[in-house]
Amino acid sequence: MMEASARLRLRGTAEGGRRHIKLGLPRVQSCYKMNEHSSGNTRKLIIAIDGPAGAGKSTIAARLARKLGYVNLESGAMYRALALKAIDKDASFDDEVALVKLADASRIQLEPTINGNRTLLDGRDVSARIRERDVTEGASRISVHPKVREWMVSHQRAMGSGGGVVMEGRDIGTKVFPDADLKVFLDADPVIREQRRMAQQKISGEVAANVAADLRERDRRDRTRAASPLVAAEDAVVIDSTSMSEDDVLARVEGLVQHRLDC
């Protein structure tokens, strides 16, 4: 059976131990409700950050997790790892049954470290490989399959169930952790998101045009897929970062976190 896990001990930090918050709490609507289930300032939150590609959610999630001493669980890395496994095994991105069987026969680990996450596939560090274009495209294609998403959701819940986590993706607040303590939906104008991605990858010309086209296609797939389409949860705080700096966005999210902790 496939194993997907997060090693919750942060290397080089004092906040490394496992967290012990139980899931299944009622959806939080007020400080009063939160206090019914908390134990003072020791409570560790489950924070969900969703949004489209290029909105900056990975960067914000990573910085926020480091600031809080939390674990940053990047759900997209799991889809990328499975896509890489499909490439290595010459499996079709369109064969849902084969992809689920492939997942069951694999081992995906997200290993948070003080310098960021490492992604391990069957014990092999694939952190750099899964960022390449063919894997990125494959991850987008396999993510449309309901059974693949069910498998991912199940394992992501297990990985973050102890609390003290920041998990980013596209359906964290709506599907993976619908009872998360804090839900943020980070968005930005499509043109701005494309420009950010080009700057991040330091590309221009025809390559940049291809990346922009890929980004638009990912948006289309994410928003129109039948299983867990990209949409802000009803109780999420929506942040439009079009005219905001990275530091501004982080400060806004930190303020939301502090409000939850102060409740």
CSV table of all heavy atoms in Angstrom, one decimal, residues 1-5 78 104 150-160 167:
chain,number,residue,atom,x,y,z
A,1,MET,N,0.9,-1.2,0.0
A,1,MET,CA,0.0,0.0,0.0
A,1,MET,C,0.9,1.2,0.0
A,1,MET,O,1.9,1.3,0.6
A,1,MET,CB,-0.9,0.0,1.2
A,1,MET,CG,-1.8,1.2,1.3
A,1,MET,SD,-2.9,1.2,2.8
A,1,MET,CE,-3.9,-0.3,2.4
A,2,MET,N,0.4,2.2,-0.7
A,2,MET,CA,1.2,3.4,-0.8
A,2,MET,C,1.3,4.2,0.5
A,2,MET,O,0.3,4.3,1.2
A,2,MET,CB,0.7,4.4,-1.9
A,2,MET,CG,1.5,5.7,-2.0
A,2,MET,SD,1.0,6.7,-3.3
A,2,MET,CE,2.3,7.8,-3.3
A,3,GLU,N,2.4,4.8,0.8
A,3,GLU,CA,2.5,5.6,2.0
A,3,GLU,C,2.8,7.0,1.6
A,3,GLU,O,3.7,7.3,0.8
A,3,GLU,CB,3.7,5.0,2.9
A,3,GLU,CG,4.0,5.9,4.1
A,3,GLU,CD,5.2,5.5,4.8
A,3,GLU,OE1,5.7,4.4,4.4
A,3,GLU,OE2,5.7,6.2,5.6
A,4,ALA,N,2.1,7.9,2.1
A,4,ALA,CA,2.4,9.4,1.9
A,4,ALA,C,2.5,10.0,3.3
A,4,ALA,O,1.6,9.9,4.1
A,4,ALA,CB,1.4,10.1,1.1
A,5,SER,N,3.6,10.6,3.7
A,5,SER,CA,3.7,11.1,5.0
A,5,SER,C,4.5,12.4,5.0
A,5,SER,O,5.2,12.7,4.1
A,5,SER,CB,4.4,10.0,5.9
A,5,SER,OG,5.7,9.8,5.4
A,78,MET,N,2.8,16.6,-3.9
A,78,MET,CA,2.3,15.2,-3.9
A,78,MET,C,1.8,14.9,-5.3
A,78,MET,O,2.1,13.8,-5.8
A,78,MET,CB,1.2,15.0,-2.9
A,78,MET,CG,1.7,15.2,-1.5
A,78,MET,SD,0.4,15.0,-0.2
A,78,MET,CE,0.0,13.3,-0.4
A,104,ASP,N,-0.9,3.7,-5.0
A,104,ASP,CA,-0.8,2.7,-4.0
A,104,ASP,C,0.5,1.9,-3.9
A,104,ASP,O,0.8,1.3,-2.8
A,104,ASP,CB,-2.0,1.7,-4.2
A,104,ASP,CG,-3.3,2.2,-3.8
A,104,ASP,OD1,-3.4,3.1,-3.0
A,104,ASP,OD2,-4.3,1.8,-4.4
A,150,GLU,N,-9.3,11.9,-4.4
A,150,GLU,CA,-9.7,11.2,-3.2
A,150,GLU,C,-8.6,10.6,-2.4
A,150,GLU,O,-8.4,10.7,-1.2
A,150,GLU,CB,-10.7,10.1,-3.5
A,150,GLU,CG,-12.1,10.6,-3.9
A,150,GLU,CD,-13.1,9.4,-4.2
A,150,GLU,OE1,-12.7,8.3,-3.9
A,150,GLU,OE2,-14.1,9.7,-4.8
A,151,TRP,N,-7.7,10.0,-3.2
A,151,TRP,CA,-6.5,9.4,-2.6
A,151,TRP,C,-5.6,10.5,-1.9
A,151,TRP,O,-5.2,10.4,-0.8
A,151,TRP,CB,-5.7,8.6,-3.6
A,151,TRP,CG,-4.5,7.8,-3.0
A,151,TRP,CD1,-4.5,6.5,-2.7
A,151,TRP,CD2,-3.2,8.3,-2.7
A,151,TRP,NE1,-3.3,6.2,-2.2
A,151,TRP,CE2,-2.5,7.2,-2.1
A,151,TRP,CE3,-2.6,9.6,-2.7
A,151,TRP,CZ2,-1.2,7.4,-1.7
A,151,TRP,CZ3,-1.3,9.7,-2.3
A,151,TRP,CH2,-0.6,8.6,-1.8
A,152,MET,N,-5.4,11.6,-2.7
A,152,MET,CA,-4.6,12.7,-2.2
A,152,MET,C,-5.2,13.3,-0.9
A,152,MET,O,-4.5,13.6,0.1
A,152,MET,CB,-4.4,13.7,-3.2
A,152,MET,CG,-3.6,13.3,-4.4
A,152,MET,SD,-1.8,13.2,-3.9
A,152,MET,CE,-1.1,12.6,-5.5
A,153,VAL,N,-6.5,13.5,-1.0
A,153,VAL,CA,-7.2,14.2,0.2
A,153,VAL,C,-7.1,13.3,1.4
A,153,VAL,O,-6.8,13.8,2.5
A,153,VAL,CB,-8.7,14.4,-0.1
A,153,VAL,CG1,-9.5,14.7,1.1
A,153,VAL,CG2,-8.8,15.5,-1.1
A,154,SER,N,-7.2,12.0,1.3
A,154,SER,CA,-7.1,11.1,2.4
A,154,SER,C,-5.7,11.2,3.1
A,154,SER,O,-5.6,11.3,4.3
A,154,SER,CB,-7.4,9.7,2.0
A,154,SER,OG,-7.2,8.8,3.0
A,155,HIS,N,-4.7,11.2,2.3
A,155,HIS,CA,-3.4,11.2,2.8
A,155,HIS,C,-3.0,12.6,3.3
A,155,HIS,O,-2.2,12.7,4.3
A,155,HIS,CB,-2.4,10.7,1.7
A,155,HIS,CG,-2.4,9.2,1.5
A,155,HIS,ND1,-3.5,8.6,0.8
A,155,HIS,CD2,-1.7,8.2,1.9
A,155,HIS,CE1,-3.3,7.3,0.8
A,155,HIS,NE2,-2.2,7.1,1.5
A,156,GLN,N,-3.5,13.7,2.7
A,156,GLN,CA,-3.2,15.0,3.1
A,156,GLN,C,-3.8,15.2,4.5
A,156,GLN,O,-3.2,15.9,5.4
A,156,GLN,CB,-3.7,16.0,2.1
A,156,GLN,CG,-2.8,16.1,0.8
A,156,GLN,CD,-3.5,16.7,-0.3
A,156,GLN,OE1,-4.6,17.3,-0.2
A,156,GLN,NE2,-2.9,16.7,-1.5
A,157,ARG,N,-5.0,14.7,4.7
A,157,ARG,CA,-5.6,14.9,6.0
A,157,ARG,C,-4.8,14.2,7.1
A,157,ARG,O,-4.6,14.7,8.2
A,157,ARG,CB,-7.0,14.3,6.0
A,157,ARG,CG,-8.1,15.1,5.3
A,157,ARG,CD,-9.4,14.4,5.2
A,157,ARG,NE,-10.4,15.3,4.5
A,157,ARG,CZ,-11.5,14.9,4.1
A,157,ARG,NH1,-11.8,13.6,4.1
A,157,ARG,NH2,-12.4,15.7,3.5
A,158,ALA,N,-4.3,13.0,6.8
A,158,ALA,CA,-3.5,12.3,7.7
A,158,ALA,C,-2.2,13.0,8.1
A,158,ALA,O,-1.8,13.1,9.2
A,158,ALA,CB,-3.2,10.9,7.2
A,159,MET,N,-1.6,13.6,7.0
A,159,MET,CA,-0.4,14.3,7.2
A,159,MET,C,-0.5,15.6,8.1
A,159,MET,O,0.4,16.0,8.8
A,159,MET,CB,0.2,14.7,5.9
A,159,MET,CG,0.7,13.5,5.1
A,159,MET,SD,0.9,13.8,3.3
A,159,MET,CE,2.4,14.8,3.4
A,160,GLY,N,-1.7,16.2,8.0
A,160,GLY,CA,-1.8,17.5,8.7
A,160,GLY,C,-2.7,17.4,10.0
A,160,GLY,O,-3.0,18.4,10.6
A,167,MET,N,-1.0,24.4,5.2
A,167,MET,CA,-1.1,23.6,3.9
A,167,MET,C,-1.7,24.4,2.8
A,167,MET,O,-2.7,25.1,3.0
A,167,MET,CB,-2.0,22.3,4.2
A,167,MET,CG,-2.1,21.4,2.9
A,167,MET,SD,-3.0,19.9,3.2
A,167,MET,CE,-1.7,18.9,4.0
